[in-house]
Amino acid sequence: MKSFKPLVFSGVQPTGNLHLGNYLGAIKRWVELQRHYNCLYCVVDMHALTVNPDPAELMRHTREMAAAFIASGIDPQKHIIFNQSRVHQHAELAWVFNCVARIGWMNRMTQFKDKAGKDREKASLGLFAYPSLMAADILLYRATHVPVGDDQKQHIELTRDIAQKFNMDYSARIAELGCGVDMQAGDNTVSGFFPMTEPLISDTSMRIMSLRDGSKKMSKSDPSSMSRINMVDTAEDIAKKIRKARTDSDPLPEQADGLQGRPEADNLVGIYAALTGKSKQDVLAEFGGQQFSQFKPALEDLLIATLSPISAEYRRLNADTAYIDRVLHDGAKRASPIAEATMKHVRDIVGFPRG
Ligand code: TYM
């Protein structure tokens, strides 16, 4: 019985300002996963085109993102780091998926609603079809696991819907060509061409919120740089941002449920927990009853100790454009044959004549 080989795929948009939320929500996990899986980590520059039409900036951010992956600990020799636009099969599969996915599915995507704002008629078609390209990124490699922050959960669910509809719509053809792979669906074994990809989402405490407003997620696009810790921030920047981070006036609670209704306290305790790998309860066992004036310096030290080596390495790598370009070029060279092998099957399945 053939089954899907475990494979990890994930991506980040090169929109600048890689921040602590990206690190704790995704990249820290990527680094851990490379010990157990074959991984592809992608700088999704085609996705970034939906929000960043400045060519020089897009190119610079793409290199910066690759440098940040390596500085965070991804090994480009053992795993594949590449940028999406270099592997043209992403666009090709996305088109096929545009013909599988339904407009109703896309209309439900909360990220589209947020990004398009009030005047949806003026949003680009690319922004609307964004999740279909994301499904193509993942399924082009028939990836089984996708580590992301929980804001991406809906997109991964949509990826599964697209995979399932494709497998069903073309089931006869897949059987005829013998290119199906067995997978478990409840108690049954079913055959399909694309896997039902599993999202790997850390528990909800890993959604890192803005330092200025605990109800908004930390985001690359927040106009206030005080709202986020950037991966390239200096020790002084980090210290300043944590000192100024919004809090309430009560001491920290002794129990984790005391964080309810206190989003800023919850966020800072969550960041401390994520950085140390402890639970929030363990953090409160140490700091419960203390004032923020005591907790913040400890958090500051921890952030600086974690991020300083990464940002120093990032600066070194980022200055070496030739090296980063080699990594991206080599990564795309290794990703392309995997992508092409999938697309050959897809073209046969959907009925595009070969040769
Ligand atoms: P992007 O570039 O917005 O974010 C990259 C990763 O960081 C996570 N993240 C967060 N996690 C916790 N707290 C936060 N405040 C926070 N902000 C961002 C995101 O969940 C993500 O994992 N659509 C994707 C990029 C993408 C992709 C893919 C991901 C394109 N194709 C295929 C996985 C697989 C995005 O916009 O991520």
Side-chain angles (χ1 to χ4, degrees):
M1 180 170 106
K2 280 189 289 177
S3 58
F4 290 102
K5 265 204 246 124
L7 184 89
V8 166
F9 182 97
S10 198
V12 176
Q13 289 195 69
T15 38
N17 298 327
L18 190 74
H19 56 71
L20 186 68
N22 301 129
Y23 180 69
L24 292 176
I27 296 173
K28 185 168 181 278
R29 193 81 186 284
W30 297 8
V31 176
E32 292 155 11
L33 287 165
Q34 59 176 349
R35 276 191 275 134
H36 307 289
Y37 293 93
N38 287 326
C39 306
L40 289 112
Y41 294 129
C42 186
V43 184
V44 292
D45 48 358
M46 286 159 66
H47 275 112
L49 203 56
T50 61
V51 284
N52 187 355
D54 180 324
E57 215 174 66
L58 183 56
M59 229 178 272
R60 181 165 58 82
H61 287 326
T62 298
R63 291 192 179 108
E64 282 172 3
M65 211 48 87
F69 290 1
I70 304 168
S72 302
I74 309 291
D75 181 345
Q77 306 274 327
K78 294 210 180 94
H79 301 276
I80 297 179
I81 294 178
F82 72 112
N83 62 301
Q84 190 185 28
S85 64
R86 274 196 164 96
V87 180
H88 60 82
Q89 288 86 350
H90 287 250
E92 192 181 354
L93 186 58
W95 177 257
V96 174
F97 287 169
N98 281 347
C99 301
V100 172
R102 308 287 95 180
I103 287 181
W105 300 358
M106 298 290 163
N107 271 334
R108 285 195 286 278
M109 294 296 114
T110 54
Q111 189 164 303
F112 172 71
K113 290 183 203 164
D114 291 348
K115 289 201 172 160
K118 284 207 180 76
D119 199 356
R120 266 197 232 169
E121 293 291 306
K122 291 234 169 76
S124 74
L125 198 51
L127 190 66
F128 188 63
Y130 178 114
S132 172
L133 177 59
M134 180 160 163
D137 298 339
I138 296 166
L139 295 174
L140 191 53
Y141 303 94
R142 300 208 268 174
T144 52
H145 297 88
V146 181
V148 280
D150 83 338
D151 60 325
Q152 294 299 315
K153 192 170 169 200
Q154 199 184 28
H155 288 158
I156 309 291
E157 280 161 6
L158 186 96
T159 300
R160 291 164 66 97
D161 290 343
I162 290 177
Q164 192 171 27
K165 185 161 172 11
F166 182 95
N167 288 343
M168 299 252 294
D169 289 355
Y170 293 104
S171 59
R173 185 84 177 134
I174 292 167
E176 184 190 327
L177 294 167
C179 58
V181 174
D182 291 326
M183 63 190 130
Q184 213 57 37
D187 291 338
N188 304 320
T189 305
V190 296
S191 180
F193 182 71
F194 288 119
M196 291 295 117
T197 305
E198 292 288 335
L200 298 176
I201 299 178
S202 322
D203 61 54
T204 46
S205 67
M206 295 290 274
R207 182 182 277 233
I208 306 299
M209 309 308 276
S210 156
L211 299 177
R212 307 301 298 161
D213 176 352
S215 66
K216 270 188 7 202
K217 84 169 180 179
M218 188 177 283
S219 155
K220 292 180 211 142
S221 55
D222 193 315
S224 163
S225 71
M226 294 302 282
S227 69
R228 67 181 161 261
I229 306 276
N230 291 319
M231 296 299 287
V232 295
D233 278 349
T234 60
E236 294 73 46
D237 293 331
I238 295 174
K240 188 163 115 204
K241 289 178 182 181
I242 293 300
R243 237 174 286 138
K244 297 225 160 140
R246 188 157 145 193
T247 54
D248 52 42
S249 52
D250 291 337
L252 284 169
E254 309 275 348
Q255 300 296 326
D257 53 13
L259 292 168
Q260 268 171 26
R262 299 181 61 187
E264 284 84 15
D266 188 29
N267 190 35
L268 295 184
V269 171
I271 292 174
Y272 194 100
L275 287 166
T276 50
K278 290 181 180 171
S279 66
K280 288 184 191 172
Q281 188 55 56
D282 287 343
V283 177
L284 293 175
E286 201 180 331
F287 293 100
Q290 296 188 20
Q291 299 292 338
F292 283 101
S293 55
Q294 292 163 287
F295 176 64
K296 278 185 168 182
L299 178 59
E300 221 174 274
D301 290 347
L302 184 59
L303 277 165
I304 292 169
T306 310
L307 298 185
S308 294
I310 301 178
S311 59
E313 181 61 358
Y314 165 80
R315 273 177 240 282
R316 191 185 71 77
L317 289 167
N318 206 32
D320 193 349
T321 313
Y323 170 69
I324 296 298
D325 284 348
R326 266 200 315 280
V327 167
L328 290 172
H329 181 262
D330 173 64
K333 228 168 108 187
R334 288 152 65 205
S336 291
I338 314 173
E340 181 53 21
T342 303
M343 272 323 293
K344 272 208 173 92
H345 284 302
V346 171
R347 290 180 208 118
D348 282 345
I349 292 170
V350 303
F352 294 155
R354 275 213 217 176

